[in-house]
Amino acid sequence: MSTVSPGRLRARDIDRAETATVLDGAYAEGQLGAAEYHDRIAQARAAKTLGELSELVADLQTPDARRVRAERGAAAAATASGYPPGTRARTADRDAAGAVLSRALAEGQLAEDEYHVRAELLADVVTLDDLAELTADLQGARPAPVAPPPVRSGGQGRYFAVIGAAGLAVAFGTFALVHREAEPAPAVPPAAAAPAPVPYAALNDIEPLVIPTPDLVTAAGLAHFVDRYRIEFGDTVADEITLFPAHARVTRALPGQPNRKVTYTYRGGFHQDSDPTTRPVDTPTVDLAAVDIAAIGAAAGTAAATTRVPDGVVSMIEVDVPSFDPLAGRPAVSIHVGNTFDESGWFVLSPAGEVLRVWPFDG
């Protein structure tokens, strides 16, 4: 009787959905850029075998990804971190590595020019191996458990940031800082602020603090985002805004430069994703202050019924000025709905919450 290798077994819909969940978490953590994320999601939906799905998560550092790799039969030599060589670094890992470099500058291990060179390299780091190379010759770095990634809270796309022992000890990848008293530090970037000293031996005894991140495609999440947006930019105007359950993307004009635009990602804070690019000065804009959050939130709550998507959940909310008729030139809110079977639909509302047009699932 012939046998088939695990990687050649046919994938089920649940296997594709599980892989997409892993990719969602990696994107939320900064392991994947937007283009990479969307490309891998498309590949996951089209995957025929378990081996194809395994390749899509092989370089990610989430426990779910390691389990998926094991179940799919993908073998790799694990590093001291418990992840294979070439594993992607998270935003939290890069931030923690920046704190290590700042401490090294404060302690005199690095001269200012050395520090700035490494800090610039840090911005381009992709893997945990790259992070390790930036700090391997610094005193005070020693092997440590990898900080746990955010925990998925079910099928609605919500994530929770876990601040635990490794977060307090400036852990990243396979390294953590040994805390000791330091002389007053010179002026350095904000990342130089050292965390409160925690004995290394006691790290694993500290209970993690779980802080919920609002689901941005709910009324509460929308209100949270609008408030943060106003604080960050001083207004509520943008060219376009796309909200996902755990993050958002914004494109808006540069202050005082209506012919330039910049894209930002929001994951608890705003991060500039791109260099300024050309923007027509007459680009239509939307104003979040004109959006009836309660009405849009209520529409999102009944979106599955509106679009006739079985067991559908809201995957995305867009606030922009559509170019298609009959909505051309008018600000609108688009709500997209999908399920684990790739069945989807969407509809468009006015900022006041009036349903203008529906594209339902017709299966």
Side-chain angles (χ1 to χ4, degrees):
M1 182 177 65
S2 62
T3 59
V4 177
S5 66
R8 293 179 57 193
L9 289 174
R10 288 289 180 140
R12 303 166 298 175
D13 287 333
I14 189 63
D15 299 317
R16 298 183 189 94
E18 184 180 50
T19 300
T21 297
V22 173
L23 294 173
D24 288 345
Y27 182 33
E29 294 173 338
Q31 296 186 61
L32 297 174
E36 291 177 301
Y37 167 72
H38 291 298
D39 180 60
R40 294 196 192 195
I41 284 290
Q43 291 184 59
R45 289 174 176 170
K48 299 293 186 184
T49 68
L50 296 183
E52 291 172 332
L53 292 177
S54 176
E55 290 179 3
L56 296 175
V57 300
D59 61 344
L60 304 180
Q61 63 155 312
T62 67
D64 281 344
R66 281 193 287 177
R67 178 175 55 77
V68 169
R69 282 196 299 270
E71 292 178 354
R72 305 297 182 260
T79 63
S81 67
Y83 296 105
T87 295
R88 294 297 184 105
R90 300 170 297 167
T91 299
D93 299 320
R94 287 183 281 270
D95 291 345
V100 171
L101 293 177
S102 297
R103 173 66 71 87
L105 173 64
E107 294 176 341
Q109 295 187 59
L110 295 176
E112 270 199 55
D113 58 341
E114 293 175 309
Y115 166 78
H116 288 299
V117 167
R118 296 195 190 198
E120 289 178 6
L121 291 173
L122 180 61
D124 297 323
V125 158
V126 174
T127 70
L128 294 178
D129 302 317
D130 297 333
L131 286 181
E133 289 182 9
L134 288 178
T135 60
D137 61 341
L138 301 178
Q139 293 188 47
R142 61 190 268 187
V146 175
V151 176
R152 182 94 170 170
S153 70
Q156 298 298 319
R158 300 185 180 92
Y159 288 88
F160 295 84
V162 180
I163 302 176
L168 294 171
V170 197
F172 73 96
T174 60
F175 291 90
L177 191 64
V178 173
H179 300 277
R180 60 183 180 183
E181 294 298 326
E183 296 179 359
V188 291
V198 177
Y200 179 77
L203 295 182
N204 292 330
D205 296 329
I206 300 177
E207 290 294 326
L209 174 63
V210 180
I211 301 176
T213 299
D215 185 333
L216 298 181
V217 295
T218 64
L222 282 166
H224 167 88
F225 177 80
V226 173
D227 182 59
R228 296 290 182 175
Y229 190 93
R230 184 182 290 107
I231 292 172
E232 177 72 17
F233 299 108
D235 59 41
T236 51
V237 177
D239 290 0
E240 56 183 344
I241 299 167
T242 305
L243 299 158
F244 301 93
H247 70 283
R249 289 178 64 82
V250 175
T251 300
R252 56 175 283 135
L254 279 175
Q257 299 185 52
N259 63 328
R260 299 283 186 269
K261 64 181 179 181
V262 174
T263 298
Y264 301 86
T265 292
Y266 176 80
R267 291 190 180 92
F270 288 89
H271 172 74
Q272 183 173 322
D273 274 352
S274 67
D275 294 327
T277 56
T278 300
R279 172 186 184 275
V281 294
D282 59 349
T283 298
T285 60
V286 293
D287 189 347
L288 288 172
V291 175
D292 187 327
I293 293 174
I296 299 301
T302 58
T306 302
T307 56
R308 300 202 296 269
V309 176
D311 299 318
V313 295
V314 176
S315 59
M316 179 172 67
I317 294 179
E318 296 177 292
V319 185
D320 60 5
V321 179
S323 58
F324 54 83
D325 291 331
L327 304 173
R330 298 162 55 192
V333 179
S334 304
I335 299 181
H336 297 253
V337 182
N339 62 20
T340 57
F341 300 101
D342 288 334
E343 298 166 345
S344 62
W346 64 294
F347 59 107
V348 179
L349 309 92
S350 71
E354 176 191 0
V355 177
L356 303 176
R357 187 173 177 183
V358 180
W359 289 262
F361 171 65
D362 58 4

